[in-house]
Amino acid sequence: MHSSVVHGLSESQVTPEDWFDRRRRHMLALAAGLSLGWADRLAFAAPLPDAALKAGGEKLTGLGDITSYNNYYEFSTDKKAVKILAQELTLKPWTLTVDGEVEKPYTIDADELTKLFGSEERIYRLRCVEGWAMVVPWSGFALSKLIERARPTSRAKFVAFESLKRSSEMIGQRNSNLPWPYREALRIDEAMHPLAFAVTGLYGQPLPKQNGAPLRLALPWKYGFKSAKAIVHIQLTSTQPVTSWNQASPSEYGFYGNVNPEVAHPRWSQSRENRIGELQKRPTLPYNGYAEWVAELYRGLDPKQSF
Ligand SMILES: Nc1nc2c(c(=O)[nH]1)N[C@H]1C(S)=C(S)[C@@H](COP(=O)(O)O)O[C@H]1N2
Ligand SMILES: [Mo]
């Protein structure tokens, strides 16, 4: 897993300083207007150090908690009911289409994902906007790989994610709690960030249905609602896509969804959080503890306006 060698260093030896140097060169090259292809752009983006990819050695949340306390409104708004109801979902066949502002749109079967894009483990903190949190060992691959394969055009500024709509199996879709299908989106620079992760597994096993099989996102610096489950369609767009939570309640759920202790939800404070399995609350960290890797994406943006 840590065999990839960059400039003579193994990933685990990459320090934050190294990473920033490479990142800065990458940004400078982009700012200079060099017309880099996507492959070249990625070559500039060095892998992140273990401190970012392994949640700094924090204690993992147990598999039982991760798989029985779920937000998945396609099935139920009752977190403890999702585990049972989600077993109705048929995972095969399952196709994923990547299209929109790209040179090479493609459709693949979910079975091909690991063959094409590989698999590595990422231990990420997950912070739900409701105030609970977990530490989860996901497996999967960098989201940038899925996007890069389609060769985005220079007009691609956003990436939209669409989840499955199949009310015959997803009984929560018979309610209109949210506009279906579930839609989420990122700016393209967020989607290409090395922390943005496409998830196909959990605790070294195939991803359970209740956690979003066969394909979901993990965006550890954002509230959980940004990490769509059961993805069937990824579309590159030139304008900001509509997202389900924002449509349902724009004053509560912004486009960004970045974890921020200082921006309260209209109905509760975000300054503290409850790590599942712990009694005492912890302080919420800016960008869920990932600020040093992602804060630069939001330079100049007012988090009170762009929440
Ligand atoms: N398609 C879909 N994706 C979704 C949701 C959902 O209801 N539907 N809930 C989101 C929310 S609010 C959270 S906190 C996480 C929960 O992921 P988990 O159940 O694996 O912990 O999934 C996110 N992705
Ligand atoms: Mo959430």
Side-chain angles (χ1 to χ4, degrees):
M1 203 180 343
H2 297 290
S3 56
S4 68
V5 173
V6 180
H7 302 283
L9 288 174
S10 80
E11 274 181 48
S12 55
Q13 292 170 302
V14 175
T15 64
E17 292 71 27
D18 293 331
W19 189 75
F20 275 114
D21 277 351
R22 291 187 200 138
R23 188 87 186 156
R24 201 168 298 121
R25 266 188 285 140
H26 175 61
M27 303 302 275
L28 284 172
L30 293 180
L34 297 182
S35 57
L36 298 175
W38 280 96
D40 302 317
R41 295 193 194 189
L42 283 174
F44 275 99
L48 287 160
D50 272 3
L53 303 183
K54 301 288 164 184
E58 290 188 64
K59 185 170 180 285
L60 302 183
T61 303
L63 180 64
D65 282 330
I66 298 171
T67 56
S68 56
Y69 189 80
N70 302 102
N71 268 336
Y72 204 163
Y73 278 27
E74 282 88 338
F75 295 100
S76 176
T77 55
D78 174 351
K79 285 187 242 305
K80 294 184 178 155
V82 169
K83 177 184 183 153
I84 303 290
L85 297 172
Q87 303 317 312
E88 290 302 312
L89 183 61
T90 306
L91 297 183
K92 286 169 199 269
W94 191 287
T95 54
L96 169 72
T97 297
V98 183
D99 63 10
E101 288 289 356
V102 298
E103 288 167 19
K104 293 186 164 29
Y106 67 94
T107 295
I108 53 171
D109 197 274
D111 284 339
E112 294 176 72
L113 290 169
T114 302
K115 260 177 273 161
L116 279 171
F117 302 114
S119 183
E120 61 176 298
E121 185 169 80
R122 297 273 180 100
I123 299 171
Y124 279 168
R125 289 180 290 275
L126 165 68
R127 167 63 153 84
C128 175
V129 73
E130 298 163 338
W132 54 269
M134 299 186 180
V135 181
V136 185
W138 302 117
S139 36
F141 49 87
L143 174 60
S144 62
K145 293 187 180 181
L146 269 177
I147 296 170
E148 184 208 8
R149 186 174 204 266
R151 304 200 66 85
T153 70
S154 59
R155 288 183 300 277
K157 300 284 189 282
F158 296 89
V159 187
F161 303 89
E162 189 184 304
S163 301
L164 182 70
K165 184 174 178 185
R166 188 187 286 160
S167 61
S168 59
E169 294 178 353
M170 297 175 130
I171 67 163
Q173 287 184 339
R174 298 173 200 175
N175 302 324
S176 45
N177 299 323
L178 280 177
W180 307 114
Y182 194 97
R183 292 180 198 279
E184 260 308 332
L186 298 168
R187 283 191 334 218
I188 194 164
D189 57 334
E190 300 180 299
M192 298 301 287
H193 190 282
L195 277 176
F197 201 53
V199 174
T200 55
L202 170 66
Y203 264 103
Q205 298 294 318
L207 190 62
K209 292 180 179 180
Q210 60 268 38
N211 295 95
L215 177 68
R216 66 161 304 157
L217 300 181
L219 307 164
W221 70 100
K222 292 179 176 285
Y223 292 119
F225 72 87
K226 295 295 297 179
S227 294
K229 297 176 171 181
I231 296 169
V232 291
H233 186 192
I234 298 178
Q235 189 179 19
L236 287 278
T237 66
S238 58
T239 56
Q240 186 173 309
V242 166
T243 61
S244 292
W245 281 103
N246 184 251
Q247 243 183 320
S249 189
S251 63
E252 295 179 280
Y253 309 104
F255 176 78
Y256 285 94
N258 291 325
V259 176
N260 190 332
E262 301 194 336
V263 177
H265 185 279
R267 293 183 279 131
W268 58 84
S269 161
Q270 293 290 23
S271 68
R272 280 143 53 83
E273 64 190 44
N274 174 236
R275 181 78 62 88
I276 298 296
E278 293 181 355
L279 293 175
Q280 262 201 320
K281 290 205 172 187
R282 297 176 176 242
T284 300
L285 301 176
Y287 299 103
N288 201 24
Y290 297 88
E292 63 179 300
W293 317 110
V294 299
E296 64 172 344
L297 292 172
Y298 309 104
R299 206 179 296 139
L301 216 61
D302 174 1
K304 299 245 190 285
Q305 295 297 320
S306 305
F307 55 95

